[in-house]
């Protein structure tokens, strides 16, 4: 199988979230970037397991600028064979998906894997958009992926349960928890990553359909009201009369 | 402005779907709903503001490509400018496809009505609920996927006409082999009340007291990540930055420390109750009501108090 894994960067999950320029830009000051957890833990690791079991090749792709190469090297250290960086700002989900779909179409992949969502913008958009741009099936929120010849057998989340589905490659799959176990890169992987091929590709012309124009932070919570542990009737009463949630 | 709203009705019409119709009605002058499946309940969408429902009976348990073709055909035949989804599992696969197909900008996970004062923009959650963003759409046609529990469904009218609609959606490329659904559970993303527990419960054998409280309240159950990772609870119950993001009316957290990644998925909850032996647990900073105490004592007491309340009211 020739597998393409879409990798995005996201701020470390403990990052302080703040905005600058009149709340129009994310404040990157002091922010550490990591590989988006869904892309790394599930999509990339499952791709590597498939390759280890039946051979093939795992290419990672990211739409981003030169600063994102640190994140790419990390994904290479976990075991991907080679990397592609589309040299552009990932302006919106459509722009990002269009770039990836163009590359994938020209390079004949059997399988394109994405994470369930990016933990910064949380759109869950890019995977479905790639699939539509390539006119191939999209299996969203997959928790299990097995391959038998050119047939993919998957489990995916549906409302309140799980659905088992089958589809023929090529397809796009978005990967959620359960798909694989996180792998910690070892020293050999980190060394090898330095010399693995990283191809930089110019973007193709494409419309931008949406933009984040401003941001805001939630209002600070008022102080927590402490309830006597021996008086749960009071708590229930407050939930009814004050909070009005029961 | 004509607004089209997609309704997933294969397993009945969810509350989240009714929210989407209400939302569409608040935006548009005319709301038309489109659905696949065999539901006989669709006329009731009229009560929430739809003027008619188009139904393609050939699209039963359709895959995302079929549903995309169906909604695109409905958008074309009605001339709708705005297409609304409920941001649920089906929409997460269909809305992005439709965005590419119609060249219509997508607002994914909207939590408020659009703001038309400066173009067309909408508020969404970003950074896993740690902040909000305003997304501006630049295209003529717009797609909005509405986060469940962002507004309440409102009855404004009466049952409407249901018209058969042949969208030529083609056949499904994805074959459904099996569906596994735990019986009776309330799906977490839709639940208005949630009881959640963490490592403070010590082991899976102790979850009875969590379930008792959930049953007394009519709530769904959830858990912290380590609890799902060790296998005490199923993965789909894991809430937080890397789990399900929820925004119920009430979130009760028992024996959960309140790590930033956990808070990210739950701090959209309207009211948070925290029960923890450690008065310094970070979760208290995000809570509305706090109880410093042992879950093994507090949960049964709270369950009794809830039962007493329900018996009296
Ligand atoms: C990249 C990344 C992503 C993550 N994503 C998530 C996520 O999505 N969701 C998530 O939940 N976590 C996530 N985590 C993990 C998170 O950092 C915490 O480790 C986790 O939330 C802690 O779970 P916990 O509160 O159940 O356990 P602990 O931190 O061990 O807390 C247990 C709590 O129970 C209390 N307690 C103990 N005994 C009792 C008792 N008898 N009665 C009452 N209270 C008691 C303790 O005082 C303590 O506060 C993520 C971490 C990383 C690095
Ligand atoms: N800039 C990017 N480059 C490559 N892949 C991306 C990029 N942004 C998002 N993706 C992929 O698309 C998935 C869904 O992203 P999103 O639609 O932003 O939630 C992510 O988990 C990644 O796999």
């Amino acid at each position: 199988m020739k597998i393409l894994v879409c990798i995005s960067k996201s701020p470390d999950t403990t990052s302080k979230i703040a905005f600058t320029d009149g709340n129009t830009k994310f404040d990157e000051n002091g922010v550490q970037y990591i590989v988006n957890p869904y892309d790394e833990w599930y999509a990339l690791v499952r791709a590597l397991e498939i390759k280890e079991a039946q051979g093939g090749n795992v290419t990672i792709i990211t739409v981003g600028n030169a600063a994102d190469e640190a994140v790419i090297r990390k994904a290479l250290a976990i075991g991907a064979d080679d990397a592609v960086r589309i040299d552009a700002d990932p302006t919106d989900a459509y722009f990002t998906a269009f770039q990836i779909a163009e590359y994938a179409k020209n390079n004949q992949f059997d399988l394109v894997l994405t994470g369930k969502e990016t933990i910064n913008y949380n759109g869950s958009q890019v995977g479905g958009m790639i699939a539509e741009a390539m006119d191939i099936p999209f299996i969203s929120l997959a928790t299990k992926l097995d391959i038998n010849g050119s047939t993919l057998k998957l489990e995916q989340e549906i409302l309140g349960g799980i659905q088992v589905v089958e589809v023929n490659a090529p397809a796009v799959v978005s990967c959620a928890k359960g798909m694989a176990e996180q792998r910690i890169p070892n020293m050999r992987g980190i060394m090898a990553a330095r010399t693995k091929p990283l191809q930089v590709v110019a973007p193709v012309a494409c419309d931008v359909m949406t933009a984040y124009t401003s941001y805001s932070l939630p209002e600070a919570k008022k102080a927590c009201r402490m309830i006597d542990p021996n008086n749960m009737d009071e708590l229930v009463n407050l939930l009814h009369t004050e909070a009005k949630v029961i | 402005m004509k607004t089209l709203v997609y309704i997933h009705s294969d397993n009945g019409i969810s509350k989240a779907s009714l929210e989407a119709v209400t939302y569409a009605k608040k935006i548009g002058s005319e709301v038309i709903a489109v659905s696949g499946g065999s539901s006989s309940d669709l006329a009731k969408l009229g009560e929430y503001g739809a003027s008619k429902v188009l139904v393609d009976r050939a699209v039963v348990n359709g895959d995302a490509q079929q549903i995309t073709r169906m909604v695109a055909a409905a958008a074309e035949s009605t001339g709708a400018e705005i297409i609304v989804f409920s941001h649920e599992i089906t929409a997460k696969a269909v809305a992005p496809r439709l965005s590419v197909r119609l060249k219509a900008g997508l607002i994914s996970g909207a939590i408020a009505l659009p703001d038309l004062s400066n173009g067309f923009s909408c508020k969404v959650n970003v950074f896993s609920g740690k902040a909000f963003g305003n997304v501006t759409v630049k295209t003529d046609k717009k797609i909005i996927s509405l986060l469940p529990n962002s507004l309440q469904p409102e009855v404004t009218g009466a049952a409407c006409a249901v018209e058969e609609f042949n969208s030529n959606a083609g056949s499904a490329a994805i074959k459904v082999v099996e569906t596994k659904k735990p019986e009776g559970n309330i799906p977490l993303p839709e639940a208005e009340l949630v009881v959640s527990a963490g490592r403070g419960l010590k082991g899976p054998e102790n979850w009875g007291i969590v379930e008792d409280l959930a049953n007394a309240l009519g709530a769904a159950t959830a858990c912290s990540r380590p609890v799902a990772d060790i296998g005490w609870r199923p993965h789909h119950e894991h809430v937080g930055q890397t789990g399900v993001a929820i925004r119920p009316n009430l979130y009760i957290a028992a024996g959960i420390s309140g790590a930033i990644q956990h808070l990210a998925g739950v701090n959209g909850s309207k009211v948070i109750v925290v029960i923890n032996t450690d008065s310094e647990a970070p979760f208290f900073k995000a809570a509305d009501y706090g109880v410093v105490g042992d879950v093994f004592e507090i949960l049964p007491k709270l369950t009794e108090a809830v039962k007493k309340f329900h018996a009296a009211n």
Side-chain angles (χ1 to χ4, degrees):
Chain A
M1 279 254 155
K2 239 184 113 184
I3 309 177
L4 184 66
V5 182
C6 305
I7 299 284
S8 61
K9 67 168 182 191
S10 65
D12 177 17
T13 53
T14 56
S15 303
K16 182 170 178 294
I17 305 301
F19 302 98
T20 60
D21 294 18
N23 283 327
T24 58
K25 279 206 179 72
F26 174 55
D27 183 0
E28 294 195 303
N29 220 325
V31 169
Q32 279 280 353
Y33 280 100
I34 57 171
V35 184
N36 185 46
Y38 291 108
D39 310 353
E40 177 188 328
W41 300 348
Y42 309 133
L44 176 58
V45 174
R46 187 64 194 134
L48 295 172
E49 288 170 355
I50 293 167
K51 180 194 147 178
E52 285 156 9
Q54 43 181 264
N57 184 80
V58 176
T59 301
I60 54 172
I61 186 164
T62 199
V63 180
N65 35 48
D68 300 345
E69 291 191 2
V71 166
I72 298 178
R73 291 284 173 207
K74 180 157 182 227
L76 287 171
I78 295 168
D81 296 297
D82 53 1
V84 175
R85 179 171 67 83
I86 311 286
D87 189 20
D89 254 341
T91 331
D92 74 346
Y94 176 67
F95 178 90
T96 304
F98 190 85
Q99 303 303 328
I100 295 172
E102 279 300 302
Y103 181 83
K105 273 192 248 176
N106 294 330
N107 290 276
Q108 305 275 319
F109 289 91
D110 303 302
L111 188 58
V112 179
L113 299 184
T114 73
K116 165 186 164 183
E117 65 190 13
T118 45
I119 61 169
N120 38 0
Y121 293 108
N122 305 100
S124 246
Q125 301 182 51
V126 171
M129 288 180 171
I130 296 172
E132 185 67 22
M134 297 180 72
D135 199 20
I136 59 177
F138 173 51
I139 297 85
S140 53
L141 310 180
T143 53
K144 202 163 182 284
L145 162 62
D146 289 312
I147 291 168
N148 189 347
S150 64
T151 306
L152 314 178
K153 189 168 182 191
L154 301 112
E155 291 192 7
Q156 71 179 143
E157 292 173 21
I158 53 169
L159 200 59
I162 289 282
Q163 178 167 282
V164 184
V165 300
E166 276 180 8
V167 67
N168 286 328
V172 180
V173 176
S174 86
C175 303
K177 184 169 175 173
M179 178 72 87
E181 295 288 332
Q182 184 181 6
R183 281 189 188 180
I184 310 293
N186 59 23
M187 208 49 195
R188 220 180 62 206
I190 295 168
M191 298 301 288
R194 293 187 185 161
T195 54
K196 284 183 179 169
L198 193 170
Q199 190 194 346
V200 179
V201 176
V204 287
C206 164
D207 292 337
V208 171
M209 303 203 284
T210 61
Y212 278 92
T213 36
S214 67
Y215 299 93
S216 57
L217 291 168
E219 282 171 33
K221 276 246 171 190
K222 59 178 175 14
C224 173
R225 174 157 176 178
M226 299 313 285
I227 311 288
D228 176 355
N230 292 312
N231 196 352
M232 286 304 102
D233 290 332
E234 187 197 356
L235 177 57
V236 170
N237 190 35
L238 285 168
L239 291 176
H240 178 61
T241 55
E242 187 181 82
K244 299 191 170 54
V245 288
I246 60 173
Chain B
M1 225 175 331
K2 265 193 191 164
T3 308
L4 182 70
V5 48
Y6 167 73
I7 301 296
H8 193 76
S9 62
D10 286 324
N11 310 305
I13 298 171
S14 65
K15 173 166 172 275
S17 291
L18 302 178
E19 291 167 9
V21 180
T22 297
Y23 182 87
K25 181 65 187 169
K26 286 181 188 289
I27 304 176
S29 49
E30 188 183 355
V31 177
I32 297 152
V34 57
S35 181
S38 53
S39 170
S40 52
D41 244 7
L42 291 164
K44 86 164 181 200
L45 298 174
E47 296 167 20
Y48 298 86
S51 62
K52 67 175 171 192
V53 184
L54 305 175
V55 58
D56 189 338
R57 302 284 181 199
V59 182
V60 178
N61 288 317
D63 74 4
Q65 273 172 302
Q66 282 179 301
I67 298 174
T68 302
R69 289 185 208 115
M70 176 180 79
V71 181
E76 192 178 341
S77 80
T78 58
E81 289 162 61
I82 298 178
I83 301 152
V84 176
F85 289 86
S86 164
H87 196 53
E88 293 178 310
I89 306 247
T90 313
K92 284 184 182 179
V94 173
R97 298 200 76 115
L98 190 69
S99 169
V100 172
R101 194 173 189 95
L102 298 182
K103 292 278 179 302
L106 167 61
I107 296 173
S108 183
I111 56 174
L113 285 165
D115 174 0
L116 306 177
S117 61
N118 190 4
F120 186 103
S121 75
C122 216
K123 193 172 180 181
V124 300
N125 279 342
V126 288
F127 297 97
S128 312
K130 291 176 196 164
F132 306 113
N134 274 308
V135 182
T136 300
V137 182
K138 302 170 176 178
T139 50
D140 294 341
K141 285 201 175 75
K142 284 120 185 145
I143 303 175
I144 305 176
S145 189
L146 175 72
L147 214 59
N149 214 15
S150 295
L151 83 176
Q152 285 299 314
E154 284 171 27
V155 173
T156 54
C160 66
V162 177
E163 288 176 13
E164 302 296 320
F165 177 63
N166 182 354
S167 68
N168 285 318
S171 55
I174 301 173
K175 195 171 114 210
V176 178
V177 181
E178 195 190 340
T179 303
K180 306 179 196 170
K181 270 199 175 169
E183 281 302 317
N185 284 359
I186 303 169
L188 198 46
E190 288 210 343
E192 292 183 3
L193 309 176
V194 175
V195 180
S196 183
R199 252 191 328 217
L201 266 283
K202 309 276 191 292
E205 66 282 6
N206 298 328
W207 243 261
I209 53 173
V210 179
E211 280 162 354
D212 287 347
L213 177 59
N215 289 338
L217 282 166
T221 50
C223 68
S224 68
R225 188 176 105 177
V227 161
D229 281 350
I230 333 165
W232 292 358
R233 297 299 293 175
H235 282 315
H236 66 249
E237 281 197 2
H238 154 201
V239 292
Q241 184 150 21
T242 48
V244 186
I246 54 172
R247 45 209 321 272
N249 295 340
L250 173 64
Y251 183 73
I252 301 181
I256 302 177
S257 56
I260 186 164
Q261 298 94 350
H262 184 87
L263 293 180
V266 303
N267 59 10
S269 310
K270 291 187 185 73
V271 173
I272 295 180
V273 174
V274 168
I275 304 164
N276 200 303
T277 39
D278 175 7
S279 63
E280 299 292 307
F283 219 144
F284 286 115
K285 290 206 176 62
D288 299 279
Y289 301 101
V291 183
V292 177
D294 186 337
V295 287
F296 297 100
E297 280 171 34
I298 303 293
L299 284 180
K301 279 194 206 160
L302 183 52
T303 305
E304 281 319 304
V306 169
K307 284 186 182 158
K308 214 164 84 192
F309 168 79
H310 280 315
N313 285 271

